[in-house]
Amino acid sequence: MARSHHLSRRQFLAHSASLAGASLGLPATRSGRAEERRGPARLGFIGLGDRGRHLLKASLDLPEAAVGAVCDVHPQRLKKGLEIARASQPRGYTSDRALLEDPAIDAVVIATPVFLHAEQTVAALESGKHVYCEKPMGIDPRECERVLAACRQAEERGQIYQIGLQRRYHPRYRESVRFLRSGEPGAVRFIRAQWHAVSTPRRDKPWLFRREKSGDIVLEQACHQFDIFNWVFGAHPLRAAGMGGAHGVREGAPGCDVLDHYGVILEYPAGAKAFLSHLNYSIPERRFAGIYELAFCERTGVDLANALTWTAAGQTRELCSEGGSDTARALASFAGCLVRGVRPDAGADAGYEASMAAILARSALERGTAVEWGEVASA
Ligand SMILES: NC(=O)c1ccc[n+]([C@@H]2O[C@H](COP(=O)([O-])OP(=O)(O)OC[C@H]3O[C@@H](n4cnc5c(N)ncnc54)[C@H](O)[C@@H]3O)[C@@H](O)[C@H]2O)c1
């Protein structure tokens, strides 16, 4: 699926022109010249819950973007969003379609429940907006394929799509992956990963506990880690097998049908494997909680989140010490891609393969047998 990092000149000119129209307060246009572009990209935020407000706050200091509009169906959430971005005097909407019709908006940042991602992404791309949408891409194979196709068509028109897989922008993950691919540690043969919650999930988001709305924890949460596996191996998994269940999440939660624990193993090319232990509740012993990915290589190991490796003499070697917010970096990169016509690192291909790897794992958990990539994915 490797494609050029840069949009073609024709594609770039088209998207640059759309930024020009917006910042001049003119209708967005798909024709025109790159030199017409003025000022920062105008962003519209759709979904102002916990994640949407976090993204909104992280966007306030971006030099290459400005908040143009905010939207939530819930009036109180909309009020909070307007308050956070008051210095930019954004327009407020309770309808996403009304925001999409706002010609002053170049790009949308979507942070709504998972079951809305595909529909809202496709509508936004078709309305001519660039899109940053939270993970996952869609809730099932059909939705992911629909979004991927819409992204491919939109890229032809010079539009950008980025998915909220922000670890791709964290300097420690980036350096760990660069090191793993450098040849120095030898082939990566196995990854052991863990996503163990530090607390029991909050009950104030009913959509999270319905598989048809969240896609289950294996998709809604763990697609971050499936993306890391794909990134390290430079490929999607070939097959998956696993087992899971619900120890306590369904107690006192009518209609809850999601898992709260599972283990899944994925096979990658050349016999490499990745194993994930996912627990969405905690026990009082906090040392058992936390999120990590450990790569077992021919000559050493790498702790990706902490960018650590070990010498033959057993000494720890830090690959990168930079920290900071990966979400702020992801948004800054999105704004830069809009201005420079560059395809995002966490673009449509990465988003599709991470989401589909999670759906592959979910299918294996549902069926109780090993499932092949070709049984769920067609792209
Ligand atoms: N990348 C990350 O690390 C990360 C972290 C947390 C959540 N997320 C993702 O962000 C998304 C949102 O999660 P959350 O925790 O903020 O959920 P949330 O329930 O707190 O917020 C969702 C918001 O969307 C609004 N909404 C629902 N339908 C809408 C519509 N049609 N138009 C406009 N607004 C609408 C709701 O009113 C609510 O305010 C999910 O996809 C989740 O998986 C990503």
Side-chain angles (χ1 to χ4, degrees):
M1 268 205 180
R3 292 184 297 143
S4 161
H5 210 58
H6 285 266
L7 296 176
S8 68
R9 180 167 167 73
R10 176 179 57 78
Q11 292 166 334
F12 175 59
L13 293 181
H15 105 264
S16 298
S18 76
L19 290 186
S23 52
L24 294 170
L26 301 171
T29 163
R30 290 180 188 151
S31 63
R33 302 199 315 271
E35 51 272 28
E36 285 176 315
R37 186 174 55 72
R38 313 256 195 293
R42 306 278 299 170
L43 306 182
F45 287 76
I46 300 175
L48 301 165
D50 291 331
R51 186 64 184 165
R53 295 198 303 278
H54 184 69
L55 288 159
L56 182 60
K57 285 177 194 159
S59 75
L60 295 178
D61 299 326
L62 297 180
E64 290 174 315
V67 182
V70 289
C71 166
D72 200 293
V73 285
H74 197 298
Q76 282 306 318
R77 295 274 168 91
L78 175 60
K79 204 171 150 201
K80 279 188 187 175
L82 286 167
E83 177 63 16
I84 290 166
R86 65 186 175 283
S88 318
Q89 297 185 304
R91 282 190 264 250
Y93 294 98
T94 49
S95 152
D96 57 348
R97 301 305 146 122
L99 185 149
L100 294 182
E101 282 169 18
D102 185 337
I105 299 303
D106 302 304
V108 292
V109 178
I110 301 171
T112 52
V114 174
F115 70 99
L116 295 170
H117 289 184
E119 184 193 320
Q120 290 179 323
T121 297
V122 172
L125 291 172
E126 285 177 352
S127 76
K129 310 297 185 201
H130 307 278
V131 172
Y132 181 110
C133 183
E134 266 311 335
K135 40 46 74 172
M137 193 175 236
I139 209 153
D140 57 24
R142 192 188 53 79
E143 285 197 356
C144 293
E145 271 145 33
R146 186 169 165 232
V147 174
L148 184 65
C151 289
R152 295 245 160 96
Q153 286 171 7
E155 280 180 1
E156 280 300 304
R157 301 191 294 263
Q159 290 166 255
I160 303 267
Y161 168 87
Q162 185 170 322
I163 188 162
L165 292 168
Q166 68 273 5
R167 283 162 178 75
R168 292 244 177 188
Y169 299 89
H170 197 288
R172 286 196 207 142
Y173 275 103
R174 289 175 82 88
E175 196 49 35
S176 294
V177 174
R178 191 205 59 73
F179 177 70
L180 285 169
R181 290 181 164 196
S182 69
E184 196 183 326
V188 185
R189 291 182 160 151
F190 185 74
I191 298 178
R192 181 160 68 87
Q194 170 180 301
W195 185 301
H196 287 183
V198 291
S199 60
T200 300
R202 285 164 38 190
R203 298 276 188 200
D204 59 350
K205 302 185 196 206
W207 66 267
L208 259 183
F209 299 93
R210 299 299 300 269
R211 187 178 275 219
E212 64 176 9
K213 301 214 183 268
S214 70
D216 214 325
I217 59 170
V218 62
L219 178 65
E220 196 274 330
Q221 290 185 332
C223 67
H224 282 299
Q225 287 185 306
F226 295 117
D227 180 48
I228 290 164
F229 305 157
N230 292 350
W231 189 16
V232 168
F233 292 121
H236 62 70
L238 303 174
R239 63 185 64 85
M243 205 179 282
H247 284 143
V249 72
R250 294 176 188 165
E251 281 163 22
C256 171
D257 59 358
V258 295
L259 301 173
D260 66 9
H261 70 274
Y262 68 86
V264 71
I265 188 153
L266 304 167
E267 185 175 2
Y268 281 84
K273 311 277 187 310
F275 174 74
L276 169 63
S277 165
H278 192 170
L279 214 59
N280 204 23
Y281 61 87
S282 66
I283 62 167
E285 179 47 69
R286 289 301 170 93
R287 277 181 300 185
F288 291 6
I291 299 171
Y292 64 70
E293 304 85 19
L294 305 177
F296 294 62
C297 313
E298 282 174 290
R299 289 185 278 283
T300 187
V302 175
D303 171 346
L304 278 103
N306 295 304
L308 297 176
T309 187
W310 289 267
T311 66
Q315 285 166 327
T316 306
R317 183 176 140 205
E318 192 172 43
L319 299 166
C320 173
S321 58
E322 249 183 282
S325 160
D326 47 6
T327 297
R329 286 175 198 272
L331 278 172
S333 181
F334 177 62
C337 286
L338 297 183
V339 172
R340 283 181 281 282
V342 176
R343 254 188 205 115
D345 289 343
D349 293 340
Y352 175 79
E353 293 199 340
S355 305
M356 288 304 301
I359 289 169
L360 173 72
R362 188 179 67 190
S363 299
L365 292 165
E366 276 167 5
R367 292 193 214 166
T369 58
V371 179
E372 306 280 325
W373 176 262
E375 292 180 64
V376 294
S378 63

